[in-house]
Amino acid sequence: MPNPLLADTPGETHLLLGNEAIVRGAVEAGIQVVTCYPGTPSSEVPDTFYRLSPEGKYYFEYSVNEKVALEVAGGATMCGAMTLTTMKHVGVNVAADPLMTLTYTGAPGGLVLLSADDPGCHSSQNEQDNRHYARLGGMPVLEPATAQECKDMARDGLLLSKKHGAPLLLRTTTRVNHLRGPVEFGPAPDPGKPEGFTRNPSKFVPIPAFSRPMHLSLIDRLNALREEAEHSPYNTVSGEGEIGIVASGISRAYLADALENAGLAGKVMVLNLGFTHPLPETLCLDFLKSVKKVLVVEELEPLLENDLRVLAQKNGLNLEISGKDVLPEYGEFTVTQVENVVRAFAGMDTVEVKGCASVQDLPVRAPNLCAGCPHRGTYFAAREVFGDDVLYSSDIGCYTLGLLPPLATADFLVCMGSSISAGSGAAMASDKPVVGFIGDSTFFHSGMTGIANAVFNSHDILLVVLDNRTTAMTGHQPNPGVDKTTIGENDHPLDIESICKGLGVTEIRTVNPFNHKKTVEAFKELGDMSGVRVLIAREPCPLYARRVYKKVAPQVAYVADSCVKRGDCLEKLACPAFYKKEDGKAAINPILCNGCMLCLQICGHIKAKKRGK
């Protein structure tokens, strides 16, 4: 019996996460190739494909970064394979180079790029609105608002992409990726084999002489897709009256609830847009002509609002268009927020919704590394050796949680893989030494080029590779350095030390960060040197070790009665398993303790005991 997401069971209804529904939609389209770089809020899409890959009829890979993922996808679709590539919004920045040319060469087999945007920065460094990329590159855009639409749009997007040979952007947001709802399945056909490559350099080799006509073809495709948008079932008009509201993406769901709550359902004209680019101009123009004023409800940038303003101006319409003058350009909307804006637009009183009263005087819990995280040992040793006498260049990953005191090992951060490059620049411009931190997955993502650049340009930096044997922050996805995964062995693990040597680094040390003495010695030794030096701090993430290696430490730590209330374990190590008792002495929660035994090396009053005793 195949997994329900792979089974050909049309008519069945399942309760799915938005990201799971996208997987099902791709299966219904006949997906043949899936590539990705994991990133929240998109992670469950590739993780589900990966988990199902032993029984799925598609090729799947975790690529080393988003650019590579899209390039692999580009090659596959040129050979006729129906292809999906997934990433979070900032990943599209990394993939932008091949993306801007793939829209020229086209996607004969069909290619959907899932961009999971993150309004509100729930797990991201910015709120960028990737609908801009569609306009920049000339891509059609579908924006689901429900789990059912996640499935349907993934399927229809792939089929539409193949029909027109045009890469398509499936733009989701965090709320859509992580909502759960009923999804009615359609047929799941056997995808068969890719159709193969048809040699045609004038179509697939964008030298200038070929690129110019390719650009004209891209414009023709967009015009044909605009016609598709005009008649798309994802673009609908409902209601009546002189007031019009236009909404796109998840804002359509907020609007539906807001209208229902305000008693305005069916009493105002609503244009719901799920196929948002190219703009269905005839549909929108007819809508604008039918009302006296329009409110545009869209999260983040006023792209749709501006499109409608231009359309109104070009056609000499004199009507009020409102949007970002009453709704913010940042963060996620809420139903109450949209309801009050709609009420005000309709001349109604706004409502005050009282949420649950907050409990007063709760202790503040700052973001923190897990108990037993090996990064804590590395950071603690770095602070002990260097204190505030160096600049700490951080990167994207769990280790960013070393930002706050007492570890305080993140002075600046730019993007994935920037710790070595930005650190090199800081070392050149500052009078302080620089220590950079990068994870193993990020090392393979984009750190290696930074090392090559640092060696080539003789920069002066100590880089610490925090090798916890997995991509921990996004859900333990494998990377080229791991030796074991949740579905089997990695037959070709890459060795970080050998890569660093190959890139020209001559001073490399490898330590277990739970060995405090050895880690401190390595920091001191490398800190006294100049040039590019690398310290590899290697120890598996304890959550991953428990799940994949079935490794559980046999002992836990406890604080003996001899504790003298010095407080180093609480104030300098700050492991979340520690707490202070009423008598001022420290204590350790044995349930939270992962048995790393780092604290025993910090304080002689901390002892080990057998787990469960």
Side-chain angles (χ1 to χ4, degrees):
M1 178 71 72
N3 185 285
L5 289 175
L6 300 176
D8 185 20
T9 52
E12 284 192 358
T13 298
H14 293 261
L15 187 65
L16 298 182
L17 200 67
N19 280 340
E20 294 171 332
I22 290 171
V23 173
R24 174 64 189 187
V27 170
E28 291 186 7
I31 194 70
Q32 293 166 316
V33 173
V34 181
T35 65
C36 81
Y37 187 79
T40 306
S42 70
S43 298
E44 292 87 356
V45 178
D47 288 356
T48 303
F49 274 118
Y50 178 61
R51 179 168 50 84
L52 302 180
S53 59
E55 56 180 314
K57 296 179 179 178
Y58 52 82
Y59 168 79
F60 173 85
E61 73 170 41
Y62 285 112
S63 306
V64 294
N65 65 30
E66 296 86 352
K67 178 177 184 287
V68 173
L70 192 57
E71 289 165 345
V72 172
T77 190
M78 287 179 191
C79 290
M82 180 169 284
T83 306
L84 173 68
T85 299
T86 75
M87 57 193 67
K88 67 182 298 177
H89 62 312
V90 290
V92 180
N93 301 334
V94 182
D97 194 4
L99 178 62
M100 291 303 114
T101 300
L102 278 171
T103 57
Y104 273 43
T105 60
L111 170 60
V112 165
L113 171 60
L114 168 65
S115 168
D117 292 10
D118 190 18
C121 291
H122 295 283
S123 58
S124 309
Q125 62 268 48
N126 68 40
E127 287 187 289
Q128 70 185 51
D129 188 333
N130 276 6
R131 293 177 299 169
H132 280 297
Y133 274 112
R135 285 155 173 78
L136 179 62
M139 302 173 72
V141 180
L142 293 176
E143 297 184 66
T146 65
Q148 182 71 49
E149 283 192 349
C150 284
K151 192 271 285 184
D152 293 342
M153 287 188 176
R155 177 198 61 203
D156 295 347
L158 284 161
L159 297 175
L160 191 67
S161 172
K162 182 171 184 175
K163 176 182 175 183
H164 291 271
L168 181 144
L169 189 74
L170 180 64
R171 190 246 186 180
T172 59
T173 53
T174 303
R175 199 60 50 185
V176 178
N177 294 103
H178 292 161
L179 61 76
R180 190 174 286 276
V183 177
E184 183 177 342
F185 284 9
D190 188 323
K193 292 183 178 179
E195 295 173 0
F197 185 71
T198 302
R199 185 167 281 112
N200 185 353
S202 66
K203 180 173 174 57
F204 297 125
V205 185
I207 60 173
F210 295 158
S211 297
R212 288 187 282 270
M214 284 181 187
H215 196 181
L216 298 181
S217 297
L218 168 60
I219 294 171
D220 288 342
R221 282 200 297 271
L222 277 176
N223 287 330
L225 286 158
R226 191 185 308 281
E227 282 301 309
E228 297 271 9
E230 296 283 4
H231 308 290
S232 171
Y234 299 120
N235 296 335
T236 61
V237 177
S238 61
E240 59 184 19
E242 298 179 340
I243 296 175
I245 304 177
V246 183
S248 65
I250 187 62
S251 298
R252 291 180 287 137
Y254 297 140
L255 177 63
D257 287 348
L259 291 174
E260 194 67 35
N261 293 345
L264 290 172
K267 299 177 181 176
V268 297
M269 291 283 285
V270 175
L271 171 57
N272 274 313
L273 291 178
F275 192 159
T276 57
H277 187 262
L279 188 72
E281 292 184 348
T282 302
L283 178 68
C284 292
L285 185 58
D286 290 344
F287 183 82
L288 295 179
K289 289 178 177 176
S290 69
V291 295
K292 290 189 175 179
K293 63 178 184 178
V294 169
L295 171 67
V296 182
V297 184
E298 59 184 326
E299 286 181 333
L300 298 181
E301 303 287 334
L303 299 184
L304 185 56
E305 178 185 343
N306 289 343
D307 285 347
L308 295 177
R309 288 181 185 279
V310 169
L311 190 63
Q313 191 275 335
K314 285 169 63 177
N315 289 277
L317 299 184
N318 183 21
L319 79 166
E320 175 187 347
I321 298 179
S322 191
K324 292 305 173 186
D325 52 336
V326 290
L327 285 162
E329 292 185 46
Y330 58 88
E332 288 188 304
F333 292 165
T334 65
V335 173
T336 302
Q337 182 183 32
V338 173
E339 180 182 346
N340 278 330
V341 169
V342 169
R343 280 176 173 271
F345 200 67
M348 300 169 62
D349 292 334
T350 58
V351 295
E352 181 180 355
V353 177
K354 294 183 178 178
C356 298
S358 60
V359 179
Q360 300 297 315
D361 302 324
L362 283 175
V364 176
R365 183 183 185 280
N368 201 351
L369 295 165
C370 300
C373 175
H375 301 342
R376 185 182 307 281
T378 307
Y379 286 148
F380 183 77
R383 291 292 309 179
E384 184 172 312
V385 174
F386 303 115
D388 289 329
D389 295 332
V390 301
L391 297 179
Y392 296 107
S393 177
S394 192
D395 221 301
I396 304 291
C398 293
Y399 35 94
T400 312
L401 295 172
L403 166 72
L404 297 176
L407 300 176
T409 43
D411 289 319
F412 52 87
L413 182 156
V414 180
C415 62
M416 288 283 285
S418 68
S419 57
I420 180 72
S421 312
S424 296
M428 178 181 59
S430 165
D431 58 357
K432 283 191 172 185
V434 173
V435 177
F437 295 100
I438 192 170
D440 48 338
S441 183
T442 313
F443 173 87
F444 292 110
H445 178 283
S446 47
M448 293 186 291
T449 49
I451 294 175
N453 183 74
V455 171
F456 172 59
N457 290 294
S458 302
H459 285 299
D460 185 13
I461 185 170
L462 168 54
L463 179 69
V464 183
V465 182
L466 300 155
D467 182 6
N468 63 1
R469 318 303 295 151
T470 186
T471 312
M473 179 164 266
T474 50
H476 294 148
Q477 294 84 4
N479 65 60
V482 306
D483 50 16
K484 194 175 180 68
T485 74
T486 52
I487 62 172
E489 305 292 325
N490 176 13
D491 295 331
H492 308 288
L494 302 187
D495 180 56
I496 293 174
E497 183 174 348
S498 298
I499 291 171
C500 290
K501 285 180 180 176
L503 291 171
V505 181
T506 57
E507 299 298 338
I508 305 169
R509 307 289 184 273
T510 300
V511 297
N512 181 333
F514 289 148
N515 187 329
H516 181 62
K517 181 179 178 182
K518 292 288 186 183
T519 305
V520 167
E521 289 175 353
F523 268 126
K524 287 181 177 177
E525 182 184 10
L526 292 171
D528 289 337
M529 299 177 183
S530 61
V532 181
R533 300 92 74 200
V534 171
L535 174 65
I536 302 171
R538 177 171 294 145
E539 175 66 20
C541 163
L543 303 179
Y544 185 72
R546 188 180 305 169
R547 181 182 178 195
V548 175
Y549 299 114
K550 311 302 178 188
K551 177 183 174 183
V552 178
Q555 294 181 310
V556 296
Y558 74 97
V559 181
D561 291 338
S562 58
C563 172
V564 295
K565 308 178 187 178
R566 193 174 64 183
D568 281 0
C569 58
L570 287 160
E571 297 172 7
K572 295 182 178 178
L573 196 59
C575 174
F578 280 87
Y579 64 96
K580 184 183 288 187
K581 297 191 296 187
E582 291 183 355
D583 62 3
K585 292 184 178 181
I588 298 174
N589 185 331
I591 297 175
L592 294 180
C593 179
N594 261 307
C596 71
M597 300 301 156
L598 176 64
C599 54
L600 271 70
Q601 302 164 61
I602 310 303
C603 177
H605 301 285
I606 301 178
K607 310 293 182 184
K609 65 180 181 180
K610 191 174 181 180
R611 186 177 293 277
K613 297 293 183 180

